[in-house]
Every structure is written in structure tokens, then in C-alpha cells.
Amino acid sequence: MNRTQSALHALPSDLINKLCRTKVTRLSLKQMYTLGRHVLESKNQGALVIPAVFLHQELPIRLSHALSMLNSNMLPVNMADMPNFQHIARSYLEDISMVTQMPKPSTPKLEEEFTSLLRTLEQRHKIKIMAISRGFRELMDNVQKQCIEQDSSSNSLFYHNGKGWTINPEADKAIQTFFNRFYTINLGTRLLIGEHLSLHCHNNNLVQRVHPLSISKRAIRDAQKVVAAHYGQPAPSVLIHTPNPDISTTYVDEFLHRNIYELLKNAMRATCETHLKVNPSISLGLSSSSTASKSKLPPIKLVLVDGGEDVTIKISDEGGGMALSEMDKIWSYVHSGGSSSLRQPSITTQRPPKTTTTTTPFQPSAPNTSALLTSNISQTEKASQPPKVPQPADSMSFMGGLSGEAKDYLDLPLNGSGHGLPLARLIARYFGGDLNLISMEGYGTDSYLSLYRDDDHLENFPEVDEEMAAEVDVFVSELMDEPSTPPREEGSAGTNISGASSGDHLRASSGHLV
């Protein structure tokens, strides 16, 4: 019997019920930053005992709340009855068991052991989030496919609007409510795990004083590389304007980079597709001459403003905009990115462009903007190698990069993953900020990303749902009776996630992404 199975069988029968009814201890950015600085400045490994003891108590509560969501009746599909989703839920139960069966990490030695467990939980958690997102997407595709094949007008999820099959608005709203809650719970859990691992393993904290201008420049470079690789030509340039280049605020670097990158990528994609379609002659390809490689597409504008209550970033494009009736669909987990159409049951992987790509610089702004900061990075640098072409990957995988160097969301397809903007808004709102879009059909879109300056604002963690907590006992009993290795069923959601085997690592099948 392996470690996870042993811990699972030792789990008290009423513990999950109690944990599901227990409120989480919501933290603020200031609390996380202050504790992190204390640990780093003490230069004493024993200082990590304080956050470790807190995590030992807090993680089972947060994991139990996520587990209860998998038994939720909020979704218009009975996800809880599917074998692979049941096994994902069982994996959450195993995580709770392992944490609760471990002694309180009240000494440096026990803290080391607990941190080793956190590394395991981090990998397990990352795979579960990827699997739940991927599995749901494949489930919805199967339902849609059956609906189309049977030409069923009575289906409660999809209907034909005269132009094509689309999802019932009420069902779409229920799905959005579920995933907003589920992903928010897991966002906070991953942040706490990532913060402790960063302090213990890398001697830095994720919550820190960040400089939005510097992060914006990094996000621009990353977005330009991805867009240039996708279209085989220079991405649109970006003009940066800010009255105060020294703006700083307490935040999570990874969160801010991810959101700015997402907005820039969308703006660049819309600009390329709109203007290359209208005027294909703009597409000049790439030249070996650095002076000839500047994009002739309309530039993206990024305005960074230091307000008394908020730090706000506005990103504007001339990418054609969208109709008012389409605006609500950009927050949907079912509609494909940048389109009101539903995802198709199969996809074609984008082939790498044959043309060698070049990283384009920020272009200087007009002379009459001298009162504002003009971004003027170095001249175009020829890439020594073609940048990595985005391959299909799950949009939730960015959470796994919180305590690591790699940002997995940079490897996502340019569009169509469907979770980019909804997740960006959840991240923005987690500590009191927000993300809003205003679009002018026929011209372009303005995105407003706001960071709340009050670092005492507590996490936007969902409150206890009494209805879900009341139903968790039977759900857990059924999970406890399940075998440790799930059956593979043809036609079920394609991702299979198993319990930890030797080394406590989870295995996930590749599956297709939609």
C-alpha cells in the first residue's frame, strides 16, 4: 500500500465534513509580503516554521472546499458521475489525507519534511487542474457532437440559432459560475503553496514590491515573440505612455505579467487578423536588415497610470473591435477565444512558420508626447534561433509556474484555449482589482486592468457553501470505496489522472485539447 493509500485509509470519517464547513483564513498581500520579508531577512531556516504551521492547518480546509465543488450540482452536466472526474476528486481526498496525517511542522526538521510534501502537492495539484479543465472541455465537445449528429432541438445545453449550434445562455452562465468559483479556490491554494516553496527553495517571495512598467516591457517582448512566430512576420509595436515611470505596488509579479501578456497577445492578434485581411500587402515577411523589419501594422498603446486608489493599465488596439452583443461571450469558458462560435470537436495544430522570426522592439512614440515616458528599447535584435512555436496546452497550466522559472501560459496556442480572459479577470479580482473591456465595433478595443493599492485587502476566496458541505459525506464515502486505479472508458473525458504511485507522482494521459 503506497503513501497516499495509507493516508487515505487513516482519514477520520467526519473530518472532510468539518473541513468543508470551516471558513478559510483569508490573507492580504501585506500579510504575505511582511511574513515573507521576515523569513528572508532572518536568514534562519527556523523562521519558515511559522508559515509552515499555518499551511499545515490551512491547506486541508482549502483543498476540502475544492473537493466539495466536484460534487456540485451547479453544472448543467452531471460531471460528478464520470469515472475520471471521480478519480480527480479522489486525488484531492488523498492530498487532504497526506497533509492531515503529517505531524505539525513545528521544528526545522519537520518543516523540511512538510516542504517535501508541498513539492509533491504542487505537482499533483497542477495536473488535477489541467485534467479538470481538459476533461470538461472534452465532455462538452462530446455532448455538442452528439447533439449535432442527432439533430436534437430538445437538448438542454445546445440549440440551433439559425446560423449554427450554440450553448444555452443559462447553461453557459451556470458553467461560468462553477469554474469562477472552482478556479478561484485553487488560485489561492496554489499561491500559498508557491509562496512557501519560493521562500524555502529560492530565497525570495512571490508577493513583493513590483514595478508595473518593467513587467509590462517583459510582457510585450513575450507577446511579440509569440505573435511573430504565429504569423511569420513582425508583431505590432507597442507605445508605452506613463506620467510616472517609477510606479510600484505590492503584488504578485507572475499574476501581473500573465494578465498584461494575455491582453497584449489578444490585442496583437486582433490587429494582425484585421489589417492583414483588409490589406494583405502589409505582410512584408522578414528581412535580414534590422531597419526593414519594423511592423507596419497599427501600434498597440499601453498607458500606465498611478492613481490614488488604483494602478491602472490601459491597452488599446485598432483590431476591429467586436459587437456589443458579443461582449459577454469573452468571459465564457465554452465559447472559443475571440469568437462567438463554439469550439469544434477537433482541432488542427498550428504548424510552425518556415520564416525565421525576429523580435521586434518597442517603437518610439510621437515627438509631442514628451511629457510622457516613451518606451525606447534597443534596436531590433535578430533572434539567434526561431522562437518556440506555441503548442496546444491547457490554459490553467500557468498556475504551475508560480514558484518556478517557466511561465507555461507562454506555450499556449495564440487563441482558442477559451480560458485566457476569464482567468485573467479572476486573477485581477483576487486582491480587489478588476479587468474590463470596452470595444468599438469597426475600430478596436480598450482593456482596463486595475490593481487595488490597498494591500490590506483580503483574498477574494469564496465563502463556505452550506448546501455543498451538507452533501459531501456521501460523496466522500463513495470515493473511499473506489479502486486506486481508475478504469479507462472509451468516450469518457479523455484525461486520466491516477493516484500517486512510487514517488507519489501523478500520471496524466495526453488527450486532445480543444
Side-chain angles (χ1 to χ4, degrees):
M1 184 177 294
N2 64 37
R3 182 182 179 185
T4 54
Q5 292 173 330
S6 299
L8 186 59
H9 285 282
L11 187 70
S13 58
D14 63 341
L15 179 60
I16 301 298
N17 195 335
K18 293 178 180 178
L19 290 172
C20 285
R21 296 176 183 274
T22 303
K23 291 186 177 182
V24 303
T25 303
R26 298 190 298 160
L27 300 178
S28 68
L29 288 168
K30 184 177 181 180
Q31 288 171 322
M32 297 179 69
Y33 175 76
T34 302
L35 180 58
R37 297 315 304 170
H38 169 73
V39 170
L40 296 176
E41 292 170 4
S42 68
K43 301 188 183 301
N44 180 1
Q45 197 71 7
L48 285 164
V49 166
I50 296 174
V53 169
F54 169 75
L55 271 181
H56 182 266
Q57 177 181 331
E58 182 70 11
L59 279 181
I61 300 172
R62 297 189 178 217
L63 292 170
S64 295
H65 286 212
L67 172 65
S68 68
M69 286 293 298
L70 298 182
N71 189 42
S72 168
N73 58 5
M74 295 171 64
L75 280 172
V77 288
N78 199 0
M79 186 175 69
D81 287 344
M82 300 192 66
N84 284 313
F85 284 119
Q86 289 176 347
H87 203 73
I88 294 168
R90 192 174 190 273
S91 180
Y92 272 104
L93 195 59
E94 291 170 345
D95 291 350
I96 298 166
S97 303
M98 287 190 288
V99 177
T100 56
Q101 297 302 311
M102 174 165 280
K104 181 188 296 186
S106 54
T107 67
K109 181 179 179 181
L110 290 173
E111 187 275 329
E112 286 277 0
E113 295 176 4
F114 181 66
T115 300
S116 178
L117 174 61
L118 290 181
R119 294 190 191 98
T120 299
L121 293 179
E122 181 184 48
Q123 294 304 313
R124 289 170 60 88
H125 192 83
K126 176 180 176 180
I127 295 173
K128 280 193 288 288
I129 295 299
M130 294 170 66
I132 198 79
S133 175
R134 179 182 300 165
F136 174 77
R137 200 136 63 233
E138 292 180 354
L139 168 63
M140 294 299 290
D141 281 337
N142 288 336
V143 174
Q144 180 193 352
K145 183 178 180 181
Q146 292 172 10
C147 181
I148 295 173
E149 290 175 348
Q150 297 170 8
D151 195 23
S152 172
S153 58
S154 60
N155 188 286
S156 60
L157 284 178
F158 300 100
Y159 70 97
H160 201 282
N161 62 4
K163 298 179 181 179
W165 290 93
T166 188
I167 191 167
N168 182 297
E170 291 301 316
D172 195 17
K173 182 178 179 181
I175 291 168
Q176 184 174 328
T177 300
F178 171 85
F179 277 107
N180 281 349
R181 185 181 179 94
F182 181 74
Y183 285 160
T184 300
I185 290 173
N186 286 280
L187 179 65
T189 303
R190 289 288 296 119
L191 177 59
L192 291 188
I193 294 175
E195 175 75 4
H196 189 82
L197 292 178
S198 185
L199 289 171
H200 183 103
C201 306
H202 305 293
N203 290 318
N204 60 45
N205 48 334
L206 299 181
V207 179
Q208 52 190 265
R209 295 295 295 180
V210 301
H211 296 275
L213 178 60
S214 175
I215 295 173
S216 296
K217 290 178 180 179
R218 285 194 284 116
I220 291 170
R221 292 189 187 98
D222 291 333
Q224 286 180 325
K225 288 178 183 178
V226 170
V227 171
H230 184 90
Y231 292 103
Q233 70 164 51
S237 58
V238 178
L239 310 181
I240 300 179
H241 305 287
T242 178
N244 178 13
D246 298 321
I247 298 173
S248 67
T249 188
T250 305
Y251 204 63
V252 183
D253 182 292
E254 184 90 358
F255 282 4
L256 184 54
H257 180 279
R258 191 252 185 237
N259 276 5
I260 297 174
Y261 167 81
E262 178 69 28
L263 297 175
L264 286 168
K265 180 192 69 173
N266 289 346
M268 291 178 186
R269 178 177 64 85
T271 299
C272 288
E273 295 189 354
T274 297
H275 291 274
L276 295 181
K277 183 186 300 183
V278 173
N279 184 12
S281 62
I282 290 177
S283 180
L284 302 175
L286 296 181
S287 168
S288 58
S289 170
S290 62
T291 58
S293 63
K294 295 180 180 180
S295 174
K296 293 188 177 182
L297 295 167
I300 311 298
K301 300 178 181 65
L302 188 152
V303 181
L304 174 60
V305 179
D306 186 13
E309 186 173 296
D310 306 301
V311 173
T312 303
I313 299 170
K314 174 185 175 184
I315 295 174
S316 303
D317 66 65
E318 297 177 30
M322 65 188 78
L324 185 62
S325 62
E326 301 291 306
M327 288 299 291
D328 286 343
K329 296 175 183 177
I330 64 176
W331 310 115
S332 169
Y333 293 98
V334 178
H335 290 281
S336 62
S339 171
S340 62
S341 61
L342 290 167
R343 294 184 181 86
Q344 298 305 310
S346 62
I347 62 169
T348 303
T349 303
Q350 176 72 29
R351 293 190 176 185
K354 295 181 178 180
T355 310
T356 301
T357 56
T358 303
T359 303
T360 58
F362 309 127
Q363 303 299 333
S365 54
N368 60 1
T369 61
S370 57
L372 302 174
L373 174 73
T374 297
S375 176
N376 187 14
I377 309 302
S378 60
Q379 295 294 318
T380 303
E381 298 175 0
K382 231 181 137 178
S384 57
Q385 295 179 347
K388 186 176 182 180
V389 175
Q391 298 296 326
D394 190 273
S395 60
M396 282 302 293
S397 63
F398 80 92
M399 289 186 175
L402 280 176
S403 61
E405 295 297 326
K407 297 179 177 64
D408 297 340
Y409 51 84
L410 298 179
D411 292 335
L412 296 176
L414 189 64
N415 68 306
S417 62
H419 287 191
L421 281 175
L423 284 169
R425 187 167 67 171
L426 291 184
I427 292 171
R429 290 178 172 178
Y430 197 69
F431 285 109
D434 208 349
L435 172 60
N436 293 286
L437 272 67
I438 300 176
S439 193
M440 182 184 294
E441 186 181 17
Y443 183 75
T445 301
D446 291 345
S447 305
Y448 294 86
L449 175 62
S450 299
L451 310 180
Y452 192 30
R453 273 198 170 281
D454 183 4
D455 55 9
D456 282 318
H457 190 278
L458 299 177
E459 298 172 272
N460 183 29
F461 201 95
E463 295 292 337
V464 172
D465 188 305
E466 290 294 341
E467 184 179 347
M468 292 182 193
E471 298 175 352
V472 78
D473 279 344
V474 174
F475 182 49
V476 169
S477 297
E478 293 173 349
L479 292 175
M480 296 279 280
D481 294 336
E482 289 292 318
S484 59
T485 303
R488 294 304 302 266
E489 294 193 4
E490 194 69 30
S492 65
T495 303
N496 174 25
I497 181 170
S498 74
S501 58
S502 59
D504 292 313
H505 294 295
L506 289 174
R507 298 183 300 273
S509 66
S510 59
H512 291 292
L513 288 179
V514 185

